[in-house]
Amino acid sequence: MRGRILVIDDNVNLTTMVEKALLRCGFEVAVENDSMQAVNRVRKEQPSLIILDIMMPEKDGGEVLSELRQDPYLRNIPVILLTGLADEASAISRLGGIESSVFGKPVEFRVLVQEIDRQLGRQVA
């Protein structure tokens, strides 16, 4: 197993596609489509890395990231932000003094996996 990834995005089609692709790459994957449940799901799953959408209803990814960075048990989990607004997300990416990677949608899957491996400290060929 390459690592435990939690994908948080309200778009069920996107999370299903990302989940299937990450499973094929040898990752353990969990999905959360309800941003209001996101932080509780992180606590439950204890992922190695989080892929987080920015634009979600009710609670956006910036709010979720802020909650994660304020929690001493969750603050150091690497987060990759996926968004249709990559430029606007750059300010959010530094919440809590910890830099998160930002990728615009659609992201090339190979690039996403390389970033996951980099964040998890694995050598990328």
Side-chain angles (χ1 to χ4, degrees), residues 4-96:
R4 184 178 190 83
I5 311 296
L6 176 60
V7 182
I8 303 169
D9 194 311
D10 62 308
N11 183 328
V12 175
N13 292 332
L14 178 84
T15 56
T16 300
M17 181 181 68
V18 171
E19 178 183 27
K20 287 179 181 177
L22 290 173
L23 287 168
R24 280 194 305 269
C25 289
F27 293 100
E28 186 177 340
V29 184
V31 169
E32 180 57 60
N33 297 117
D34 182 351
S35 62
M36 298 301 286
Q37 298 300 318
V39 175
N40 286 335
R41 188 68 184 268
V42 172
R43 285 187 184 103
K44 178 184 171 207
E45 298 291 337
Q46 292 293 301
S48 309
L49 182 137
I50 299 164
I51 297 174
L52 176 63
D53 183 27
I54 296 292
M55 295 190 56
M56 294 184 286
E58 297 177 16
K59 184 187 288 188
D60 68 32
E63 293 171 293
V64 172
L65 184 61
S66 179
E67 285 184 46
L68 293 172
R69 295 305 186 225
Q70 291 174 31
D71 186 312
Y73 298 103
L74 307 176
R75 70 176 279 113
N76 293 315
I77 297 173
V79 175
I80 296 174
L81 300 170
L82 286 184
T83 181
L85 304 169
D87 292 338
E88 291 84 347
S90 64
I92 295 170
S93 71
R94 292 182 284 284
L95 281 172

Side-chain angles (χ1 to χ4, degrees), residues 96-116:
I98 299 171
E99 186 78 27
S100 298
S101 300
V102 178
F103 287 91
K105 290 180 181 177
V107 63
E108 187 178 332
F109 190 73
R110 178 186 55 81
V111 173
L112 180 61
V113 171
Q114 286 176 338
E115 181 62 15
I116 291 169

